[in-house]
Amino acid sequence: MDLELRQLRAFLAVASELHFSRAARRLHVSQPALSQQIRALEKSLGTALFDRSSRATELTAAGRVLFEAAPRVLYEAERAQSLVTQAARGAVGLLTVGSVGTALASIAPRILRSVRAEFPDLQLEVSQHDTSAQLVALADGRMDVGLVRAAQPTEAVAVEHLVAEPLLCAVPSDHRLAGGPTVDPAELADESFVLWPRPLGRAFFDIIVSYCLGHGFSPRIVAEGADIETQLGLVAAGLGVSLQPSYYANLRPPGVVFLPLDGDVPQVALQVAYRRSDRSPAVAHFVAAAKRCAGAG
């Protein structure tokens, strides 16, 4: 059985009107052309769909069954066509997104909201990972796109700049520096530091160490935390001070004060990363949305 959608549409028009001339006008075709489509459909099905023996056109028993089923067939066919078109545009499917906590505390919600507003049927799977883990997952194909921090592009992964903000100094609220308007980096020479482990973000770690070396001292690292909550908790407990991107000041953790640093302060970049070989429209949409949100401030 070889059914054509145009034949089903023709059948529904005639079945609704029970009049070939009116159905032809409704479809903007000639009556002979419409009759030919109906005969072709009846031939494909091997049965008559209309009783033409009386003066009025009536549905046969087989025609009544098709009249019930045809709308569902057309709906599913049109839905499938729509889904295929959307998939080609990257508007449906699953997009796996990684993000550093820095981005989740700042630009990521705006990007995700923008993508969902434009493509509501695109499923987003978002998880928090450090930069190094994202770069590996992207290269391996386990992640589609990532929001990373201070990353360097690789042979497999492209990295594009979004926004940059300066480092701030995070100190315990009862620290001797907590009451000042700013922090002179030289005053940190004798302080204990709480930092990210270098394997989780080599470029960011090196920015901090280079900054301290540029002011005449090497940071004395006494504790490390695999996530920002742990690090700020260690700062609040008085184990040391920390240098963090200013995005994290939005978290307002209890017992921690964020202070600007004097002088020339390094800018920490947030970036969007993706596989160079990935031609997915959904990835392109996400990257474009990230750039728009970054440009909007």
Side-chain angles (χ1 to χ4, degrees):
M1 184 173 63
D2 184 17
L3 295 182
E4 294 185 11
L5 297 183
R6 64 187 180 90
Q7 293 175 349
L8 286 181
R9 294 189 182 96
F11 165 77
L12 285 175
V14 177
S16 298
E17 299 287 347
L18 291 178
H19 195 285
F20 275 79
S21 295
R22 287 197 299 267
R25 288 195 296 270
R26 175 172 157 184
L27 294 174
H28 304 289
V29 298
S30 67
Q31 183 174 334
L34 178 60
S35 297
Q36 185 177 0
Q37 290 187 41
I38 297 301
R39 285 195 296 270
L41 177 60
E42 290 176 325
K43 182 178 180 181
S44 295
L45 293 173
T47 186
L49 299 173
F50 295 99
D51 183 357
R52 302 173 179 84
S53 59
S54 63
R55 296 181 62 184
T57 301
E58 296 180 355
L59 287 166
T60 63
R64 288 192 293 273
V65 170
L66 185 59
F67 190 48
E68 291 292 326
R72 294 194 300 272
V73 174
L74 287 174
Y75 170 79
E76 291 298 336
E78 290 167 358
R79 180 172 179 270
Q81 183 179 17
S82 175
L83 289 175
V84 168
T85 301
Q86 290 183 63
R89 295 175 53 233
V92 296
L94 173 65
L95 186 70
T96 57
V97 181
S99 177
V100 292
T102 317
L104 290 173
S106 56
I107 195 173
R110 298 201 303 275
I111 298 172
L112 297 171
R113 191 177 298 115
S114 176
V115 173
R116 287 299 303 274
E118 189 173 2
F119 304 104
D121 293 324
L122 178 62
Q123 184 181 351
L124 300 173
E125 184 179 284
V126 185
S127 54
Q128 181 174 345
H129 301 279
D130 59 76
T131 294
S132 295
Q134 288 190 64
L135 295 178
V136 172
L138 285 167
D140 291 348
R142 292 180 286 110
M143 185 179 293
D144 297 318
V145 64
L147 296 171
V148 296
R149 179 180 59 202
Q152 295 298 319
T154 68
E155 183 178 346
V157 179
V159 176
E160 296 192 36
H161 177 86
L162 294 178
V163 293
E165 290 195 15
L167 285 176
L168 294 180
C169 184
V171 301
S173 56
D174 58 355
H175 193 275
R176 61 182 178 83
L177 298 173
T182 60
V183 173
D184 183 340
E187 294 183 281
L188 301 176
D190 296 326
E191 295 289 338
S192 300
F193 275 75
V194 176
L195 293 183
W196 294 83
R198 188 172 185 272
L200 297 188
R202 290 175 173 80
F204 178 61
F205 183 94
D206 292 346
I207 286 173
I208 294 175
V209 172
S210 296
Y211 176 70
C212 294
L213 291 174
H215 287 87
F217 69 96
S218 179
R220 183 165 58 89
I221 302 169
V222 299
E224 295 179 332
D227 53 67
I228 187 60
E229 291 80 8
T230 299
Q231 291 176 60
L232 295 182
L234 295 172
V235 172
L239 270 70
V241 302
S242 188
L243 298 181
Q244 297 289 347
S246 59
Y247 316 103
Y248 285 138
N250 298 328
L251 298 178
R252 303 185 186 280
V256 178
V257 174
F258 283 87
L259 298 167
L261 292 158
D262 289 336
D264 188 14
V265 181
Q267 299 286 314
V268 181
L270 271 179
Q271 305 145 312
V272 60
Y274 54 92
R275 274 186 308 284
R276 297 184 188 276
S277 61
D278 197 330
R279 298 294 180 265
S280 163
V283 169
H285 293 320
F286 186 95
V287 172
K291 292 179 178 178
R292 285 197 306 271
C293 292

